Amino acid sequence: GAGVSQSPRYKVAKRGQDVALRCDPISGHVSLFWYQQALGQGPEFLTYFQNEAQLDKSGLPSDRFFAERPEGSVSTLKIQRTQQEDSAVYLCASSEVTGVGQFFGPGTRLTVL
Amino acid sequence: AQSVTQPDIHITVSEGASLELRCNYSYGATPYLFWYVQSPGQGLQLLLKYFSGDTLVQGIKGFEAEFKRSQSSFNLRKPSVHWSDAAEYFCAVGYSGNTGKLIFGQGTTLQVKP
C-alpha cells in the first residue's frame, strides 16, 4: 500500500479484556515502531522491530503488553487484561532503515471502560 | 536522559502572519531532529528532518527549521501561515547508534485566526 495502515481504527474494550492491534507497514520497510499517545501528550516509544527481530522493548509499560512481527512485515500489538490507563492512541511507524525518518499510520484509538 | 521540550503548549496567530514554534532537546551527541504535524484524527506527517550538514533545513508546506547546537534548539518557522496549518506540531529527536526510536515533545497546538 501507499502508507502505513492500522486496524481497527477504534476499539472499545471492557476492563479485563484482551485486545490485538494490527499494523501493516510500508512494503519493504525494515524497521517498525510502536508508540503510545495519551490524550494531550506526545507519542511515547513502546517497542522496535528490525525485520522479525524485536530489538528494543524497553518502552512496554508492563508484561501485559506484547508485540510480534513473525514474518518481518505485519505486526500485532497485544494488550492483555486491559486497564483504564491503557486508553490511548497506539501509533505504528515504519522506515527503510533507522534514523531516516519514520512514516506513521493513522493510529488505533483504544478506549477501556 | 534524553528529553524534548516544546515550551509553548498553545499558539494563536493570524492568517498571513509569521510563525515560530520552539523546540529544545537535551542530549550530548548530535541528534537527528524532526518536526511532525498531526491534524485531528490523522497520523503524524513528517514536515522536515535534520541529520547533518546545513543547519537550515527546508520542509514541505513552506516550513523550515534551524538547528542551533549552542542553544540545543531546532525551531520551526513559516513566513506566512495559512488557515490549513492549524494542527498540532511535534518536535522529535533520535540518535545514531541505537534503535532509532524517537523521543517526542509534548506538542504545540497552532490555532490560526482569519
Side-chain angles (χ1 to χ4, degrees):
Chain A
V4 179
S5 60
Q6 294 185 244
S7 61
R9 291 291 311 275
Y10 303 90
K11 177 68 178 178
V12 178
K14 293 183 179 179
R15 189 171 52 184
Q17 282 185 332
D18 297 348
V19 299
L21 312 180
R22 176 188 170 106
C23 172
D24 284 85
I26 294 172
S27 179
H29 278 194
V30 168
S31 300
L32 186 145
F33 303 81
W34 284 98
Y35 294 84
Q36 180 190 58
Q37 185 177 20
L39 188 64
Q41 303 295 317
E44 292 192 357
F45 171 79
L46 293 176
T47 188
Y48 161 68
F49 289 87
Q50 185 177 81
N51 295 308
E52 68 278 4
Q54 188 176 21
L55 300 185
D56 187 347
K57 52 182 181 179
S58 62
L60 296 176
S62 78
D63 58 7
R64 297 186 296 104
F65 286 71
F66 172 76
E68 59 184 6
R69 194 186 185 196
E71 297 179 357
S73 178
V74 171
S75 178
T76 303
L77 176 67
K78 298 179 179 178
I79 309 173
Q80 297 176 324
R81 304 181 303 282
T82 53
Q83 301 178 5
Q84 284 189 324
E85 59 262 32
D86 299 335
S87 295
V89 175
Y90 290 86
L91 296 166
C92 176
S94 71
S95 66
E96 289 181 279
V97 293
T98 59
V100 298
Q102 298 168 21
F103 294 88
F104 281 79
T108 296
R109 180 177 297 278
L110 173 64
T111 302
V112 181
L113 303 177
Chain B
Q2 300 83 26
S3 65
V4 177
T5 302
Q6 294 181 245
D8 305 304
I9 296 175
H10 192 109
I11 283 185
T12 300
V13 300
S14 298
E15 190 169 15
S18 64
L19 171 71
E20 182 170 30
L21 303 182
R22 296 183 290 164
C23 173
N24 294 92
Y25 65 92
S26 169
Y27 181 66
T30 299
Y32 301 150
L33 296 160
F34 306 85
W35 275 99
Y36 284 87
V37 61
Q38 186 176 40
S39 299
Q42 303 297 313
L44 294 160
Q45 182 182 20
L46 180 64
L47 285 176
L48 48 76
K49 58 192 177 187
Y50 171 79
F51 292 157
S52 63
D54 192 348
T55 56
L56 183 63
V57 294
Q58 303 297 320
I60 62 172
K61 303 184 179 185
F63 286 93
E64 66 178 26
E66 185 172 12
F67 170 55
K68 292 185 177 180
R69 183 189 305 275
S70 61
Q71 299 176 17
S72 297
S73 69
F74 189 58
N75 294 348
L76 182 72
R77 301 194 294 249
K78 186 170 185 178
S80 177
V81 170
H82 187 262
W83 64 266
S84 60
D85 293 325
E88 187 145 24
Y89 291 80
F90 292 96
C91 179
V93 61
Y95 53 98
S96 63
N98 87 326
T99 63
K101 68 182 181 184
L102 297 180
I103 299 166
F104 285 84
Q106 192 171 9
T108 297
T109 300
L110 173 64
Q111 183 178 0
V112 180
K113 293 191 300 184

